[in-house]
Amino acid sequence: MLTLPCLAAFLEGCSKMLIFNPKGPIGESERSIIFVAFGLMLIVVIPVIVMSIWFPLKYRASNTKAPYDPKWSHSGKIELVMWCVPLVIVLILATITWRETHRLDPYRPIASEAAPLDVEVVSLDWKWLFIYPKEHIAVVNEFVFPAKVPLSFRLTSDTVMTSFFIPQLGSQIYAMAGMQTRLHLLADATGVFAGQNQQFSGEGYPRMNFDATATTPEAFDAWVRRVRQSPDRLDAARLEELRQPGVPAGPLYFSSIEPGLFDGIMKKSVSMPMPPEGTAAPAHAGHGQ
C-alpha cells in the first residue's frame, strides 16, 4: 500500500515530460527511438530483476526442498545466452543509431510542399533574439511561426555557448559564439510549445525561456503586421542595449532590422580580442560564465 503513493508521486512528473508528447515529425521520430531503445534494454533488465528476486527466495536457507549443487560451475547454454543476447541488442541499437542519426541530421532540410520559413536565432544574456530576415522584423523571447511550414534556423551566440531546444518539436542544438549552427523543424499542429536553453549559461539561465507559438498562416501574417507597427528598430545601438545581462519582462518587438545583423554578430565574436594573459576578462563576459 505504501508503494502506490510513492509510484503515483514518481509518475506525476511524466505529464511534464514534453519530449514524450511531440507535435512534429522530428519529435515523433526521436520519441520512437527512445521507446525502441528502452524496450531493447528491458530484454536484459527484466530477466535480471526477476532472477534477483527469484533466486534468493528459492535458495534461501529455510527452503530445504530446493536442490542446490555448490559444485556446479559452468553451463554452455547460459554462456551462449549471456553473450548472444547483449550482442544482438548492441547490433540493433548500433544500426538504429547509424540510420536515424543521418535521417534526423539537424542540418538536413525537411521535405515539404510549403516554402521554409527562415529564422535567425541569437543567444544573449539571458534572452533569445529571433530575426525574420525575409519579413525584416525581430522579436525577443517570442517565437511565432505557421504550423505545417518547415522552419530553417541559423543559430549563433553573442556570449557563451547555449543550447536551443523546443522539446515537443525535437532536436536541441548548440548556439556558439563566432559560429553558425543549423536546425530544421516542423510543427504538425497549432499550439504553444515551451522553448528553453538546456545549457547552463550564468545567473539568468533558469529564466531563459520563450514561447514557440505555431499558428495558422493567416494568424502569422497578422502577427507580422502587428510587429511591424512597433516604433522600435533593431540597429547596432539597440543591439548593444540587448547585450546587457538581464531577462526582459515580456517580448520585445522590432519593426525593422539593420541589414546583415546576424552575420555581424558572428563576425564580432570572431574578431573580439582576447585579454592578455594574467588579466581579467571584460565584465560582460563574466556574466555569462
Side-chain angles (χ1 to χ4, degrees):
M1 293 180 64
L2 292 175
T3 305
L4 294 178
C6 296
L7 184 61
F10 177 77
L11 294 177
E12 183 181 4
C14 292
S15 62
K16 299 179 181 179
M17 298 179 69
L18 300 178
I19 196 171
F20 292 130
N21 184 26
K23 298 299 181 181
I26 304 299
E28 290 177 357
S29 297
E30 292 173 347
R31 180 185 62 175
S32 299
I33 295 172
I34 293 174
F35 284 159
V36 169
F38 187 76
L40 288 172
M41 288 185 287
L42 287 180
I43 295 175
V44 173
V45 173
I46 290 178
V48 169
I49 294 175
V50 171
M51 288 186 291
S52 65
I53 298 174
W54 175 39
F55 288 172
L57 288 177
K58 181 176 181 180
Y59 296 108
R60 65 188 185 276
S62 58
N63 186 10
T64 58
K65 297 181 179 180
Y68 177 65
D69 183 9
K71 297 179 181 180
W72 180 87
S73 61
H74 179 73
S75 170
K77 295 180 180 179
I78 294 178
E79 290 284 342
L80 182 65
V81 172
M82 290 177 60
W83 283 102
C84 287
V85 172
L87 178 61
V88 171
I89 292 174
V90 169
L91 289 175
I92 295 175
L93 285 174
T95 302
I96 293 174
T97 301
W98 174 267
R99 183 188 64 194
E100 297 301 309
T101 297
H102 289 278
R103 188 175 72 86
L104 299 176
D105 183 355
Y107 280 58
R108 183 177 182 179
I110 298 175
S112 174
E113 296 180 357
L117 174 67
D118 295 329
V119 184
E120 297 170 342
V121 183
V122 180
S123 168
L124 301 162
D125 283 340
W126 291 275
K127 55 191 81 75
W128 292 99
L129 171 62
F130 297 93
I131 302 172
Y132 297 75
K134 293 181 180 178
E135 289 75 17
H136 304 289
I137 60 174
V139 183
V140 171
N141 279 4
E142 184 178 83
F143 175 45
V144 179
F145 58 96
K148 299 182 180 180
V149 171
L151 305 174
S152 177
F153 293 96
R154 298 172 64 203
L155 302 101
T156 191
S157 174
D158 189 59
T159 59
V160 297
M161 182 172 67
T162 57
S163 180
F164 180 85
F165 191 30
I166 305 175
Q168 289 182 275
L169 300 186
S171 292
Q172 70 170 325
I173 194 164
Y174 289 113
M176 294 171 280
M179 298 180 62
Q180 171 188 285
T181 50
R182 298 298 306 268
L183 178 64
H184 293 85
L185 298 175
L186 186 146
D188 286 334
T190 59
V192 180
F193 315 123
Q196 54 196 230
N197 170 24
Q198 288 282 328
Q199 178 76 22
F200 180 75
S201 58
E203 180 183 357
Y205 154 76
R207 294 170 290 159
M208 196 172 172
N209 304 315
F210 63 91
D211 288 334
T213 305
T215 67
T216 62
E218 296 77 16
F220 175 72
D221 292 337
W223 176 82
V224 171
R225 289 193 295 270
R226 186 167 72 252
V227 174
R228 285 174 176 165
Q229 294 175 359
S230 170
D232 294 333
R233 181 178 188 271
L234 185 58
D235 52 17
R238 190 67 174 92
L239 177 62
E240 196 61 34
E241 295 178 9
L242 293 177
R243 284 189 167 116
Q244 301 305 312
V247 180
L252 304 176
Y253 296 154
F254 300 95
S255 56
S256 62
I257 57 176
E258 185 175 300
L261 190 64
F262 181 86
D263 293 328
I265 293 173
M266 283 200 302
K267 292 178 181 178
K268 170 187 175 296
S269 299
V270 172
S271 60
M272 182 180 295
M274 295 296 293
E277 186 175 355
T279 62
H284 171 68
H287 285 284
Q289 298 297 333

